[in-house]
Amino acid sequence: MNNFILSKFVAPLIELCSDSNFWRLYKGMLNQHIHPNLESADESPARLNNLFHSLFTIPYWQPILASSNIKPDIIDNKNAFQYLALLPITFKSTYNKNFPDRITSARHKSSWQFLSSAGTNDRMTVVTDFVKRDFLRASEHLTIKLSQGQPFGRRTVDIPPSACNVVCGLADDGPEPLFKYLFWLIKNKRSFNSAAISDLRGRVERQIFLKRKTLLPIESNDWAHTCIQLDKYLEQITLEKINVIRGYPHFLYWLAKRAAQKNMRFPHVDVLIPYGGLAGESLVTYICSVFDADFVNAYGTGEVGSIGISAKNTHEIDVYQSVVHVEIIDEQGHPVPKGQHRQYSRD
């Protein structure tokens, strides 16, 4: 019932009453994922064309485009990917070194949001505008649909690595529960400024749209002390009838190990989602046997959101073609022509 109301009434109403179009984007992504050869649904060339034209306003890219004889009037939807091959590969260090003046545009800064990247050793600042935010939300709902069978979340606990504390909302002022947060704002005479509205929106998204409760990372300690935190989380998973567990692979392993020691059963848990495609086959086999649940391998980053997912109980990730363009390069850094591939050993 919750998914029906959100899908048929709430999401369309949000698009009708605001500038957001995440729901339309989600439905287009789902259609493209189900029918990958449906060319009419692929908007990638148009988006790449728009991206190219925005690069002409950014100081870092201006001399690069000029040296490649790339001009705004010669790029269109048909040749955008052709000109993409002429651009050099960039790295996080490129953006760290040139941020903010040389890799951001002076246009439309009022719509930007600056976030701290997380989950990796080499952190960076991410610039997100309203359009990108809609794509991030749409891709997240696509991942939920493909992993849980519905576009809005079932009861989920998320146990991220320590690097994710801030972006996951664990450092917000005020209590996490939505209505307690509203009461806290009023009681403490906090104004409904942009920061408060942003925190409020985040709670609505996590608790109503995603139905996701983010838990603190499990502290690395001796096993006896670690079990104190594990027991608390396992009890919460059982009492709240959690359906989906997302977490850092080591955390899922520790939870499974402790649950096996206590001979616990989890009749409501049916999907396990390790972070970042990092879980090996033996780990996955073990945690799935303890929780008696399916495994889904999803991948995404703080910079670009969810970018792919596997079928249940498989490791191979199917990239979302509607939002991700994968370019394979050879040892010399040249793009590999379409249809060609090479086998590389794991060594």
Side-chain angles (χ1 to χ4, degrees):
M1 181 61 71
N2 180 66
N3 258 265
F4 178 81
I5 294 174
L6 292 175
S7 301
K8 298 298 182 181
F9 301 104
V10 177
L13 185 62
I14 290 175
E15 292 197 331
L16 182 65
C17 300
S18 70
D19 293 330
S20 176
N21 64 350
F22 79 97
W23 189 241
R24 180 188 66 83
L25 290 172
Y26 155 74
K27 290 191 289 187
M29 290 179 187
L30 179 61
N31 190 43
Q32 177 68 8
H33 189 80
I34 296 174
H35 307 287
N37 296 321
L38 189 62
E39 295 183 2
S40 60
D42 187 5
E43 300 177 359
S44 300
R47 288 199 294 269
L48 183 58
N49 184 15
N50 291 334
L51 176 61
F52 257 112
H53 283 82
S54 69
L55 293 182
F56 289 98
T57 68
I58 299 176
Y60 172 80
W61 285 105
Q62 289 169 348
I64 295 176
L65 294 168
S67 65
S68 300
N69 293 319
I70 301 177
K71 302 177 181 179
D73 57 347
I74 65 174
I75 300 175
D76 55 34
N77 292 355
K78 295 180 179 179
N79 61 22
F81 282 104
Q82 171 188 336
Y83 284 104
L84 176 65
L86 301 179
L87 298 182
I89 296 173
T90 57
F91 305 91
K92 280 190 175 182
S93 58
T94 305
Y95 300 96
N96 282 329
K97 180 180 178 181
N98 293 282
F99 183 84
D101 295 334
R102 287 185 50 77
I103 52 95
T104 60
S105 171
R107 301 179 182 178
H108 311 299
K109 284 192 174 182
S110 61
S111 68
W112 291 0
Q113 183 179 16
F114 292 84
L115 302 173
S116 175
S117 175
T120 60
N121 293 325
D122 184 15
R123 295 196 185 190
M124 60 182 290
T125 298
V126 183
V127 182
T128 301
D129 63 9
F130 294 144
V131 175
K132 181 178 178 182
R133 187 174 65 186
D134 275 343
F135 273 96
L136 294 176
R137 287 175 174 165
S139 63
E140 180 65 19
H141 286 290
L142 177 59
T143 295
I144 292 173
K145 169 66 175 178
L146 297 175
S147 62
Q148 303 179 31
Q150 57 187 41
F152 296 96
R154 301 166 67 209
R155 290 186 296 270
T156 302
V157 293
D158 189 359
I159 315 176
S162 299
C164 287
N165 281 4
V166 175
V167 297
C168 290
L170 299 182
D172 288 350
D173 289 334
E176 174 65 13
L178 177 59
F179 292 108
K180 287 185 178 180
Y181 178 70
L182 285 170
F183 180 74
W184 178 84
L185 286 176
I186 298 172
K187 180 181 178 181
N188 291 276
K189 299 180 180 179
R190 296 289 187 103
S191 62
F192 283 79
N193 55 25
S194 58
I197 295 298
S198 177
D199 290 345
L200 181 62
R201 186 188 299 115
R203 284 165 170 79
V204 170
E205 190 164 24
R206 288 192 294 271
Q207 297 172 34
I208 297 178
F209 281 67
L210 306 180
K211 298 190 74 173
R212 181 181 302 161
K213 180 175 291 186
T214 303
L215 305 179
L216 288 169
I218 298 172
E219 297 294 334
S220 180
N221 209 326
D222 63 84
W223 184 243
H225 287 87
T226 301
C227 284
I228 297 175
Q229 190 175 8
L230 294 174
D231 288 346
K232 178 181 177 182
Y233 285 1
L234 289 170
E235 181 181 8
Q236 187 171 354
I237 289 169
T238 302
L239 292 178
E240 297 182 11
K241 299 179 180 180
I242 296 300
N243 307 122
V244 182
I245 306 177
R246 290 177 40 156
Y248 194 61
H250 276 84
F251 299 163
L252 296 180
Y253 171 72
W254 293 340
L255 284 171
K257 182 177 179 180
R258 181 57 176 167
Q261 287 181 343
K262 300 179 69 174
N263 198 28
M264 297 181 68
R265 294 292 180 267
F266 303 91
H268 300 284
V269 175
D270 52 23
V271 178
L272 302 172
I273 309 178
Y275 264 84
L278 298 175
E281 293 186 10
S282 59
L283 186 150
V284 168
T285 300
Y286 179 71
I287 62 175
C288 288
S289 66
V290 173
F291 285 100
D292 191 22
D294 289 322
F295 150 76
V296 173
N297 205 3
Y299 188 81
T301 70
E303 293 86 352
V304 298
S306 299
I307 67 172
I309 195 170
S310 72
K312 287 187 176 180
N313 301 316
T314 62
H315 285 264
E316 293 75 20
I317 291 177
D318 189 5
V319 174
Y320 299 151
Q321 296 183 30
S322 57
V323 291
V324 179
H325 175 69
V326 178
E327 184 177 61
I328 301 174
I329 60 175
D330 59 22
E331 292 88 343
Q332 288 72 43
H334 301 138
V336 176
K338 187 175 182 179
Q340 294 186 16
H341 70 281
R342 288 189 57 180
Q343 294 269 348
Y344 291 92
S345 68
R346 292 183 179 269
D347 298 335

